[in-house]
């Protein structure tokens, strides 16, 4: 059986996004993937090589001023070397983000990740969950409590540290990691059979 390789390329300004990155990692590992956790503001040549060798790359960043952080944008620009060589073409991609507001324009950050992935010729993996917490029988502890389809979105109060990341949001990120790893396994098996 082929073991998929999933890399999580993320930036975390205050630790909240690290909590989500670790949840994505745990979900992917539970689904049988080999996982690399890569902080893009400290990326090494070896970690760039790990991204190049991955079957899937999950992008993560806080949403600042309606988009990904400056550190993540610097990483995205640096990835242009991979774009020239088509190093990430046909890999899978997914994304996650966190902000202080319920909306906080997180969708724009996820769309930024989707466009980055499209420019690299990657295939996007959505969250694959119905919205939670949108009925009288729902709960703030439902998976996908913020009702986002493009990726995992989290909301953390601005006066709380990483310990304030909502348990449902961390569980949603874990679900995303699991889904990416399962999809990567199908893709790697398909490639092997082709």
């Amino acid at each position: 059986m082929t073991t998929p390789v999933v890399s999580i390329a993320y930036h975390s300004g205050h630790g909240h996004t690290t909590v989500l990155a670790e949840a994505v990692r745990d979900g992917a590992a539970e689904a049988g993937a080999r996982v690399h956790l890569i902080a893009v503001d400290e990326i090494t040549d070896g970690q760039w090589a790990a991204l190049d060798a991955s079957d899937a790359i999950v992008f993560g960043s806080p949403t600042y001023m309606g988009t990904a952080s400056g550190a993540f944008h610097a990483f995205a620009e640096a990835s242009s070397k991979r774009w020239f060589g088509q190093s990430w073409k046909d890999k899978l991609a997914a994304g996650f983000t966190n902000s202080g507001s319920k909306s906080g324009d997180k969708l724009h950050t996820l769309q930024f990740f989707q466009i980055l992935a499209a420019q690299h010729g990657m295939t996007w993996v959505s969250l694959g969950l119905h919205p939670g917490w949108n009925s009288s029988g729902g709960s703030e502890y439902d998976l996908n409590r913020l009702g986002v389809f493009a990726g995992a979105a989290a909301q953390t109060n601005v006066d709380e540290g990483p310990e304030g990341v909502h348990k449902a949001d961390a569980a949603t990120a874990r679900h995303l990691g699991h889904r990416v790893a399962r999809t990567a396994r199908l893709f790697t098996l398909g490639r092997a059979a082709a």
Side-chain angles (χ1 to χ4, degrees):
M1 195 76 151
T2 305
T3 300
V5 179
V6 176
S7 287
I8 302 156
Y10 75 99
H11 173 250
S12 186
H14 302 285
H16 306 91
T17 311
T18 298
V19 172
L20 298 174
E22 291 169 348
V24 173
R25 175 200 62 201
D26 293 347
E30 285 169 4
R34 191 161 39 99
V35 186
H36 302 289
L37 201 59
I38 299 170
V40 299
D41 55 336
E42 301 171 352
I43 194 166
T44 65
D45 289 342
Q47 290 171 322
W48 279 110
L51 291 172
D52 296 344
S54 296
D55 299 299
I57 302 173
V58 184
F59 302 123
S61 169
T63 294
Y64 293 155
M65 303 305 292
T67 190
S69 65
F72 192 91
H73 276 269
F75 161 76
E77 287 184 28
S79 77
S80 64
K81 292 178 183 175
R82 272 62 195 168
W83 177 81
F84 278 109
Q86 303 257 304
S87 303
W88 296 353
K89 186 175 180 180
D90 297 328
K91 294 183 186 303
L92 298 178
F96 61 95
T97 188
N98 180 78
S99 71
S101 299
K102 294 288 190 281
S103 169
D105 296 318
K106 288 186 270 288
L107 179 59
H108 185 262
T109 300
L110 292 171
Q111 289 172 331
F112 169 72
F113 294 157
Q114 288 176 316
I115 292 168
L116 175 64
Q119 289 181 337
H120 279 287
M122 302 170 83
T123 299
W124 189 259
V125 178
S126 67
L127 186 57
L129 285 174
H130 285 293
W133 200 25
N134 66 354
S135 69
S136 59
S139 160
E140 70 173 291
Y141 294 98
D142 291 344
L143 286 179
N144 196 17
R145 72 185 182 111
L146 299 178
V148 177
F149 295 93
Q155 179 274 329
T156 307
N157 294 329
V158 297
D159 58 350
E160 293 184 299
E163 73 285 348
V165 173
H166 199 286
K167 291 186 184 330
D169 296 341
T172 301
R174 189 181 204 110
H175 166 85
L176 179 66
H178 198 271
R179 178 171 164 82
V180 168
R182 281 193 341 261
T183 306
R185 180 178 302 283
L186 291 174
F187 267 61
T188 55
L189 289 171
R191 281 192 192 109

